Amino acid sequence: MSEEVAAPEKGPNPWAQAIAALVVVGALGGALFVLQKNDAKAADEPAACSASEADKKADAVAKAAHRVSGTQLCGALNRADLPVLLGTPGEHAQTAYGSDGSVGSGGRQIPTPEATVRLDTYTVQLTRSYDRMPIGGMADLLSEAQPQTIAGHPAVLYSTQTIAIRFNLGGGKSESGPGGIARALVIAPDPKDRGGSYELTVWRQDRMRPDDAALLRIAQKVLPTIPGWTTGA
């Protein structure tokens, strides 16, 4: 079985390093989680975001801290019209899940809840980072970066290389190598860009370049449905 995950190239700047850490850690964890799913069940009907007891506890912790949880992100991302937004209306979600993790930085743990939805053609991942870094100035540091505005929030659209991770289910071993190109959109959660970010990433199983228009359509539809999102003027 092979699962491709999106991971930006690491650079000397703090923004690129932070984004790389968030996406690599989250995506690798998601790939391992996918292995535990029964794909046969997903063949006939769309996958739903399930909440385990651990997820429910994480939801309670996130709610108490006034943060969004992985389960909430999954609920926002796993829309019935997601295949249409991606331009693949005949497909449906094969796997859909959220997770709650954190990344160590500067002696503290930064919460990084995320959600991943995998279809036949595309995989879509949504991550929230509660760091203190604004995204202003990021366009000068990322590959093919283009400034954007999503529902009144500043954003940056850029390219990143995926990592192809292949798991040998029989031998219990895994190997990794270069994958295709992913397109990612980093969005400020605050219209005034006062720190933190959402990151929406799409990549294709066939390693072809994703459609930017599809990524932007998803962002415009999904982000305003996330709890706590405020549309800018």
Side-chain angles (χ1 to χ4, degrees), residues 110-186:
I110 299 173
T112 56
E114 70 171 25
T116 303
V117 178
R118 182 179 182 274
L119 295 84
D120 285 332
T121 301
Y122 280 100
T123 297
V124 188
Q125 186 176 80
L126 176 61
T127 305
R128 172 70 160 100
S129 173
Y130 286 90
D131 59 40
R132 299 169 183 169
M133 294 182 296
I135 69 169
M138 192 181 291
D140 296 331
L141 308 171
L142 299 172
S143 175
E144 299 183 61
Q146 304 170 25
Q148 301 282 330
T149 300
I150 303 295
H153 294 225
V156 177
L157 175 66
Y158 73 101
S159 291
T160 182
Q161 181 78 42
T162 67
I163 300 172
I165 304 175
R166 296 176 178 83
F167 297 92
N168 185 334
L169 298 182
K173 296 181 179 180
S174 65
E175 58 181 12
S176 63
I181 294 295
R183 290 292 278 168
L185 187 67
V186 186

Side-chain angles (χ1 to χ4, degrees), residues 54-117:
D55 293 330
K56 293 176 182 177
K57 291 180 180 178
D59 284 346
V61 171
K63 183 177 181 180
H66 303 288
R67 297 195 303 261
V68 69
S69 68
T71 300
Q72 289 175 314
L73 292 179
C74 186
L77 184 60
N78 191 27
R79 302 165 54 100
D81 64 349
L82 182 60
V84 175
L85 296 174
L86 285 167
T88 56
E91 299 181 3
H92 63 253
Q94 295 183 343
T95 55
Y97 55 91
S99 62
D100 292 88
S102 62
V103 173
S105 177
R108 69 188 185 98
Q109 292 295 312
I110 299 173
T112 56
E114 70 171 25
T116 303
V117 178

Side-chain angles (χ1 to χ4, degrees), residues 4-10 16 19-25 27-28 125 158-165 180-182 199 201 203:
E4 289 193 7
V5 296
E9 295 179 359
K10 294 185 178 181
I19 295 170
L22 299 183
V23 179
V24 171
V25 171
L28 291 179
Q125 186 176 80
Y158 73 101
S159 291
T160 182
Q161 181 78 42
T162 67
I163 300 172
I165 304 175
I181 294 295
E199 183 160 14
T201 308
W203 64 95

